Amino acid sequence: MTATTSRVIAVTGGASGIGFAFSEALAKSGHRVVIADLRGAAEAAERLTAQGLQAIGTQTDVIKPDQVAQMVEQTVKAFGRFDVLVNNAGLFTTLALKPFDQITEAEWMRVMEVNTLGPFVCAKAAVPQMRKNGFGRIVNIASTTPIKGTPNMLHYVASKGAVIAFTRSLARELGKDEITVNAIAPGFTLSDGVLENDLHSKMGDVVRKTSRSLQRDQVPNDLVAALLFLASDGAGFITGQTIAVDGGSVFI
Ligand SMILES: NC(=O)c1ccc[n+]([C@@H]2O[C@H](COP(=O)([O-])OP(=O)(O)OC[C@H]3O[C@@H](n4cnc5c(N)ncnc54)[C@H](O)[C@@H]3O)[C@@H](O)[C@H]2O)c1
């Protein structure tokens, strides 16, 4: 049920954390991968090509339409097409946890910008290529926090709720083009960024002990099977869905 056709797949925020786990797993499954990240994209791609895998890196800020257009152009130049967009770049691990009334308007806007404008800008740039192919997959990385109503990060939770809504409406708009749009909602995951942030790491312990059915830490590799599935030929009739991968913490 996993991938049967080699696809050209761009992963935003693909240079580290969950995004790098996605990039590596996709490349190891025979896909050609474009790592689009603010920093470390070229180095991350080199880590893959050094293993004989197919990847390129492009320094891209997902909220900048000109940089995203360039990323799409570079993808088509390198690999001849653009099949799958993974909207993974997001602000989370660098955010301080705080009550809603201590979040500034500027912090709110910045989180919304990266987490909601970013996927919009990337989808707008990628969809024309997908329409050309008569094939396309968009996978948005949401979160289980809007389903749980997690406190002390209201801007983040609201942004990821928006990602789930975005997924559903865009799926309806793009069905006629044979483009599917789905979301993966990870639970609290020990990504590079989380491991560097003590407060976030402590939160992980609480999540595991209080709400997770499977009583162990969640790691980036726990998420890759859902992405490989959504990119696979067999998942072509699934759209508008959000798949929670969180060890059984929420049930959607
Ligand atoms: N780690 C978790 O517990 C968790 C849980 C649920 C959802 N998520 C989501 O998964 C995704 C990845 O999370 P992570 O924990 O690996 O995060 P991370 O902070 O470790 O990595 C995020 C990556 O995105 C890149 N990035 C940030 N802003 C960007 C921009 N404007 N343009 C391009 N790249 C940009 C960063 O450089 C980094 O490589 C995020 O969308 C996050 O919200 C994470």
Side-chain angles (χ1 to χ4, degrees):
M1 285 297 279
T2 52
T4 47
T5 307
S6 168
R7 300 289 180 192
V8 176
I9 305 183
V11 182
T12 70
S16 71
I18 292 169
F20 185 74
F22 283 154
S23 302
E24 189 170 41
L26 289 164
K28 283 185 172 167
S29 300
H31 298 294
R32 289 152 287 166
V33 174
V34 177
I35 296 178
D37 204 306
L38 269 184
R39 56 191 84 83
E43 295 81 353
E46 274 162 29
R47 283 172 68 189
L48 300 184
T49 54
Q51 301 175 56
L53 306 171
Q54 293 195 73
I56 61 165
T58 155
Q59 191 181 327
T60 311
D61 185 340
V62 292
I63 65 164
K64 303 260 167 68
D66 53 336
Q67 293 188 22
V68 172
Q70 227 170 22
M71 178 273 284
V72 172
E73 211 173 283
Q74 274 177 267
T75 302
V76 175
K77 197 169 161 209
F79 296 129
R81 51 193 286 136
F82 191 121
D83 297 314
V84 182
L85 168 68
V86 184
N87 276 319
N88 165 79
L91 287 187
F92 170 59
T93 61
T94 51
L95 300 178
L97 305 177
K98 49 176 131 172
F100 87 97
D101 51 2
Q102 289 175 26
I103 295 172
T104 66
E105 281 71 12
E107 285 172 320
W108 181 278
M109 293 308 286
R110 179 68 187 142
V111 169
M112 285 295 167
E113 197 172 40
V114 178
N115 293 4
T116 68
L117 178 66
F120 167 68
V121 168
C122 292
K124 252 174 106 175
V127 161
Q129 294 298 329
M130 296 176 180
R131 284 187 169 133
K132 250 188 231 169
N133 301 341
F135 173 94
R137 302 279 167 85
I138 298 175
V139 182
N140 300 313
I141 307 309
S143 164
T144 50
T145 56
I147 298 153
K148 282 183 163 173
T150 303
N152 294 322
M153 46 166 87
L154 191 63
H155 45 357
Y156 177 78
V157 175
S159 75
K160 292 298 185 178
V163 169
I164 294 173
F166 169 100
T167 299
R168 293 175 178 176
S169 282
L170 193 58
R172 295 234 185 247
E173 290 200 34
L174 295 180
K176 64 179 183 328
D177 301 306
E178 293 294 323
I179 299 170
T180 68
V181 188
N182 291 289
I184 295 171
F188 188 78
T189 305
L190 298 186
S191 63
D192 302 339
V194 162
L195 291 170
E196 283 164 18
N197 182 327
D198 274 356
L199 268 181
H200 280 269
S201 294
K202 278 187 195 131
M203 191 169 75
D205 268 349
V206 176
V207 170
R208 194 185 60 233
K209 286 179 187 143
T210 56
S211 72
R212 198 170 276 169
S213 302
L214 297 164
Q215 289 281 303
R216 68 157 171 82
D217 285 331
Q218 177 163 354
V219 294
N221 273 331
D222 288 318
L223 293 157
V224 303
L227 178 61
L228 290 171
F229 169 66
L230 289 173
S232 72
D233 293 350
F237 205 57
I238 298 172
T239 196
Q241 305 304 313
T242 296
I243 301 177
V245 181
D246 69 345
S249 204
V250 300
F251 300 125
I252 299 179

